[in-house]
Amino acid sequence: MQVLGHRGARLVAPENTVEAFRAAMDEGADGVELDVRQTADGALVCFHDAALGRTTDGHGLLREHTLAELATLDAGASPRQPGARRFRGVRIPTLAEALDALPSDALIDVEVKARGEGQQGPKDVAAGLAGVLAGRGDSGRVMVSSFSRRVAAAAAAELPGIRIGLVSPSFVPLGRALRTAEGAGCSVLAAHFAAYFGPKAKVAARRASDEGVLLLAWTVDDPQVAARLADLGVAVVVSDQPGRLARALRGGERSP
């Protein structure tokens, strides 16, 4: 089972920053999950929220700001971010900068929050992703995922050779989520961990494995839960405590 840092090591360093991504790798994670949004001028940057206020000293919606404007913001200034004083001056990275900062063997789950504008929006977002990944020799380590079926389907069409995943919440039964993912051309199902323990979930997980669909679970911090997920065929988990979880799994620990 591979362990990814949720937005990096977001309890150690400001989430979705290069510093958080490197901290997750230093802790022993196998890679990171990061979020991507689109700026007013079409750049893809690592950021979770639609608005800037929770994690930076900026205001308003991210999509209404250009990349140059975002470059002036402090992603370590917010008191809601861990280590705010120590990470003062940290910037919002572009997707390309995040990929460049991570080791070549790190697994990277790029969760696309952007959906674009209008009917063409998902295709435009997928084309932006293709532009970033084109020509990179390390694109095989990348997965692209989204809660949006339309974005996932557009990415599957635009990014041949890249694993595409549908992200699914806890209240959607695993079997239904699997059918939706496959209908969108996805080869990854990224479901909330609780969905794996719902009615008939074991049957759906078995079918996913038989059909070659990679199973991912979020957000998992308990080693016992991770072990149960591994028994169901889950290959990747996203964790807020990636180092602790990775050590527990590799050492065979179980929480009390």
Side-chain angles (χ1 to χ4, degrees):
M1 174 176 277
Q2 292 180 289
V3 178
L4 306 184
H6 186 208
R7 308 177 203 171
R10 74 186 192 111
L11 302 183
V12 175
E15 66 179 55
N16 279 314
T17 63
V18 167
E19 288 73 12
F21 303 148
R22 287 175 173 163
M25 300 307 299
D26 289 344
E27 286 188 3
D30 298 293
V32 301
E33 178 269 355
L34 56 85
D35 303 291
V36 164
R37 289 191 178 272
Q38 202 166 32
T39 66
D41 48 350
L44 293 174
V45 296
C46 300
F47 207 82
H48 180 272
D49 297 2
L52 297 166
R54 180 178 67 87
T55 58
T56 77
D57 58 354
H59 304 281
L61 298 177
L62 182 143
R63 62 181 171 83
E64 295 176 349
H65 293 72
T66 66
L67 180 60
E69 290 169 339
L70 294 179
T72 67
L73 301 182
D74 190 338
S78 171
R80 299 181 185 181
Q81 292 275 48
R85 292 183 180 178
R86 182 158 60 97
F87 291 102
R88 182 79 63 172
V90 166
R91 302 302 175 193
I92 300 170
T94 65
L95 174 58
E97 288 169 342
L99 295 175
D100 288 342
L102 285 159
S104 60
D105 60 347
L107 177 61
I108 304 167
D109 177 16
V110 178
E111 185 184 332
V112 183
K113 296 295 187 184
R115 301 189 182 192
E117 299 294 329
Q119 282 295 111
Q120 185 66 23
K123 293 182 179 179
D124 290 341
V125 171
L129 288 165
V132 173
L133 297 175
R136 295 188 68 99
D138 58 355
S139 59
R141 65 184 175 147
V142 175
M143 297 189 295
V144 172
S145 61
S146 177
F147 274 101
S148 167
R149 183 186 183 281
R150 291 182 62 213
V151 170
E158 188 72 34
L159 300 167
I162 302 293
R163 289 174 292 183
I164 308 300
L166 183 71
V167 186
S168 185
S170 60
F171 56 81
V172 175
L174 197 67
R176 186 195 306 171
L178 178 60
R179 290 192 297 273
T180 304
E182 291 178 319
C186 296
S187 59
V188 179
L189 176 59
H192 186 275
F193 79 89
Y196 288 96
F197 305 125
K200 301 182 181 179
K202 184 179 293 188
V203 174
R206 187 181 305 117
R207 182 164 68 84
S209 297
D210 290 344
E211 295 173 3
V213 176
L214 185 146
L215 295 176
L216 178 151
W218 55 276
T219 301
V220 181
D221 296 328
D222 186 335
Q224 287 188 333
V225 171
R228 291 175 63 195
L229 290 166
D231 290 340
L232 290 171
V234 174
V236 181
V237 292
V238 175
S239 177
D240 280 332
Q241 300 179 37
R244 174 179 170 273
L245 183 61
R247 288 191 299 272
L249 293 176
R250 291 162 192 164
E253 297 176 24
R254 295 292 183 269
S255 58

